[in-house]
Amino acid sequence: MSFALVAAGLLARADAAASPVLVPAPQEMKVSGGTFASKAKDVDRSLYAFRNDAGLPKEGYRLSVTAEGISVSAADDAGRFYAEQTLRQLSSMKNGGLSFPCVEISDSPAFVWRGALLDEGRHFFGKETVKSMIDLMAYHKMNVLHWHLTEDQGWRIDVPGMPELVKYGSWRRESPKHGARLKAFGKFRYEIEGNGQKYGPFYYTEADLREIVAYAAERHIRVVPEVDIPGHMRSAIAAYPHLTCFPENIKERCAHSSWGISTDVLCIGNDETVAFLEKVFDFICDVFPSEVIHIGGDECPRINWEKCPKCQARMKKEGFTKAGQLQGWITRRIADRLAKRGRRIMGWDEILADDAPKTAVGHSWRTVSGNGAGTTLVAGPEAARLGYDMVMPPHTETYYDYRQGLKEDPFQYPGGNIPLARAYAFDPCAGVVPEARRHVLGSQAQMWSEYIWNEYDLAWKMWPRACAMSEVLWTGSEKKDFDGFMKRMQTHRRRLIGMGVNCAPLQ
């Protein structure tokens, strides 16, 4: 059964609870007893009376169900949409029509950024899986899809006029063997057993990208694309070897076949690198209307810059004393380019250590200085205090490709451990001083795909932990109740399974 039916309101009735079960929990709900019976078979706008109320918060709504009917108030279309998601979860099928418990709900989100990251650089899932993920996110009132579209292991964007990107960058000679473990031998040296099977070519056309953006927008989800620079670019370098410091090192014209970090990164001393990035990001701005464009910036080895004549010449010209300053230079250059298109850059916390402009949005993933290429850490709470708008997804709390503490689990994980209780206990504002909390936009669930092989693996690792994330970000820390959440999840998990979701056990 297609996940897309969630949007049509056909699947929420898989399990009618004795009392209302909503995930995420609303800010306020009163149950008055009784039901409203309708002949309608779907939740649509003919089901209820609607009133615009400019006094309500953005994305918020009021919902009243009485024995006589349903009324909804909202200040914007997003609030109206979220009221409809609540109605879908409240609905059950009786006597050939929908039935709803009588309730009074006043609701609005605690955070403006309620997201999930999907990494398609390592494993490619395709349009239908992305749409299914969008449907489930919307059903849980999440509003940002962070789409990680480029990696050392794969380039997934067909940029007009640059056919080499998908010709060489969208496939790899082989992938790591399922069940194999990555072994690290010193700095940037890795080994993992391969499976001997070509992977790809896999990529999205411009039409595909626009289709996904429009599909998400209809569900009040903005798609934030990520093109990771200046590291994690081995797939692009396969297409254009002259954009790296030492092209002679590129033996294979394809993406990186192993997990781990490639030391072949973009040459920042090369003017052609700048022109390449400007063309790519111009296309990204044409396709994606998001105000925020993610430029990555994480885990970039700088060892080639220290030896590259072009990079050394750039350093001398700019008066730099450390190779790492080149990353700040290219970050600011792309930030200026995007600003001319009315956009803001977003990047992982590494960019904040290199004088990123204050208009940048930070993405705080590290909790220990030195994680990833030895780059300097600017912790999320400190960045917020300095005035950066921040999204807070620390890997120890939000990387749902990590283990989830299940006694019986057939899927593979890279490490870590984030059981459902830990996912629910997460607070995006932890450690942030009160006066800086206005800079905390929210958080998101990370689905890094080295060890996520297909849509069933993806759903198992995302749900039910993303249900916890949705409640963290919508309901907020002050009103969280883990015992109540777990009680509701007994019913909600059955609801998800009835919708065809490969939802993992609660514990």
Side-chain angles (χ1 to χ4, degrees):
M1 192 174 289
S2 170
F3 291 170
L5 293 179
V6 175
L10 299 178
L11 298 174
R13 318 163 205 143
D15 185 5
S19 59
V21 170
L22 297 176
V23 178
Q27 300 295 339
E28 297 179 16
M29 180 171 68
K30 295 180 181 179
V31 181
S32 55
T35 60
F36 168 67
S38 169
K39 294 181 180 180
K41 299 184 186 301
D42 288 333
V43 173
D44 60 32
R45 298 194 169 185
S46 66
L47 178 68
Y48 58 86
F50 177 74
R51 184 174 70 89
N52 282 105
D53 186 346
L56 292 177
K58 291 179 65 176
E59 300 186 285
Y61 64 91
R62 286 199 184 101
L63 170 64
S64 175
V65 181
T66 69
E68 287 73 39
I70 301 173
S71 63
V72 172
S73 299
D76 53 28
D77 199 57
R80 185 174 184 176
F81 177 80
Y82 293 133
E84 291 169 357
Q85 305 317 303
T86 296
L87 285 170
R88 290 189 172 105
Q89 292 193 19
L90 289 172
S91 67
S92 60
M93 181 64 78
K94 290 183 180 179
N95 301 319
L98 292 181
S99 179
F100 301 86
C102 293
V103 295
E104 298 288 334
I105 293 175
S106 180
D107 205 7
S108 61
F111 292 95
V112 297
W113 188 290
R114 307 180 302 279
L117 174 147
L118 180 63
D119 167 19
E120 290 205 78
R122 278 68 174 235
H123 282 112
F124 183 86
F125 301 102
K127 282 195 299 184
E128 294 311 309
T129 297
V130 175
K131 287 181 178 180
S132 297
M133 181 172 172
I134 288 169
D135 283 333
L136 285 168
M137 289 172 62
Y139 188 60
H140 293 88
K141 302 182 175 70
M142 302 173 86
N143 66 351
V144 178
L145 173 63
H146 174 180
W147 206 4
H148 188 83
L149 288 164
T150 68
E151 258 302 336
D152 288 325
Q153 293 80 15
W155 183 278
R156 308 301 179 203
I157 310 168
D158 186 12
V159 180
M162 306 176 80
E164 296 86 357
L165 281 170
V166 294
K167 179 180 180 180
Y168 297 105
S170 70
W171 68 280
R172 52 183 181 256
R173 175 176 46 83
E174 64 176 355
S175 297
K177 185 177 180 180
H178 189 276
R181 290 290 179 186
L182 185 69
K183 298 178 181 179
F185 301 94
K187 195 172 186 179
F188 308 124
R189 293 178 56 238
Y190 308 94
E191 182 180 294
I192 192 168
E193 183 181 1
N195 62 9
Q197 300 174 7
K198 179 182 175 181
Y199 188 82
F202 298 125
Y203 60 91
Y204 291 105
T205 65
E206 179 178 350
D208 293 332
L209 297 171
R210 292 187 184 278
E211 180 182 338
I212 291 294
V213 168
Y215 190 88
E218 290 173 357
R219 290 147 182 82
H220 293 274
I221 291 176
R222 63 168 161 165
V223 181
V224 176
E226 180 178 355
V227 175
D228 200 345
I229 67 167
H232 289 286
M233 286 291 282
R234 178 61 178 77
S235 57
I237 290 166
Y240 303 111
H242 67 284
L243 298 183
T244 193
C245 294
F246 302 105
E248 61 272 19
N249 291 343
I250 309 304
K251 305 301 182 183
E252 290 186 311
R253 297 289 298 277
C254 63
H256 202 39
S257 294
S258 174
W259 307 148
I261 304 168
S262 173
T263 56
D264 293 305
V265 304
L266 293 176
C267 175
I268 307 305
N270 187 345
D271 289 339
E272 291 186 63
T273 297
V274 178
F276 163 76
L277 291 177
E278 289 178 344
K279 186 173 182 179
V280 168
F281 280 108
D282 282 349
F283 173 70
I284 292 294
C285 287
D286 289 341
V287 173
F288 294 90
S290 171
E291 177 201 355
V292 177
I293 304 295
H294 208 299
I295 66 166
D298 61 310
E299 300 177 318
C300 180
R302 287 119 181 232
I303 54 177
N304 286 349
W305 295 348
E306 294 170 353
K307 300 176 288 184
C308 171
K310 290 182 179 179
C311 288
Q312 291 298 307
R314 178 84 72 195
M315 288 176 60
K316 183 176 180 180
K317 179 181 178 181
E318 299 295 333
F320 297 155
T321 58
K322 296 181 180 179
Q325 291 173 281
L326 291 171
Q327 181 159 350
W329 183 86
I330 194 63
T331 295
R332 293 188 293 276
R333 182 73 177 248
I334 298 304
D336 289 344
R337 182 78 173 195
L338 292 177
K340 293 176 182 177
R341 301 291 298 267
R343 314 301 179 90
R344 302 170 68 186
I345 62 165
M346 182 176 195
W348 300 101
D349 59 55
E350 283 92 334
I351 73 167
L352 303 179
D354 293 313
D355 298 323
K358 283 296 175 64
T359 55
V361 180
H363 215 149
S364 180
W365 72 276
R366 293 178 299 168
T367 55
V368 178
S369 181
N371 278 357
T375 49
T376 303
L377 168 67
V378 177
E382 173 63 10
R385 189 190 66 79
L386 292 172
Y388 286 102
D389 286 342
M390 296 295 296
V391 174
M392 302 289 204
H395 72 94
T396 52
E397 317 295 329
T398 71
Y399 278 32
Y400 292 172
D401 54 314
Y402 287 4
R403 290 189 300 267
Q404 48 190 322
L406 301 177
K407 294 178 181 178
E408 297 179 346
D409 193 334
F411 294 98
Q412 184 183 7
Y413 299 84
N417 190 37
I418 305 177
L420 188 56
R422 182 166 189 164
Y424 193 83
F426 169 58
D427 178 3
C429 289
V432 180
V433 295
E435 56 269 25
R437 292 190 176 187
R438 62 189 176 89
H439 288 296
V440 179
L441 305 180
S443 188
Q444 60 186 42
Q446 270 58 236
M447 306 306 301
W448 297 109
S449 69
E450 289 97 331
Y451 299 96
I452 299 178
W453 305 84
N454 54 48
E455 65 267 33
Y456 306 105
D457 197 339
L458 174 66
W460 179 271
K461 291 170 182 172
M462 186 168 182
W463 310 99
R465 288 184 289 184
C467 295
M469 178 65 77
S470 76
E471 194 149 308
V472 165
L473 299 175
W474 181 275
T475 310
S477 297
E478 292 182 1
K479 295 190 176 182
K480 286 193 303 180
D481 172 10
F482 182 65
D483 290 339
F485 172 76
M486 288 296 283
K487 184 177 180 180
R488 281 179 285 118
M489 282 303 301
Q490 298 291 333
T491 295
H492 192 65
R493 180 173 181 265
R494 292 195 297 270
R495 182 187 283 161
L496 291 175
I497 290 172
M499 291 159 57
V501 181
N502 190 33
C503 183
L506 302 182
Q507 56 188 9

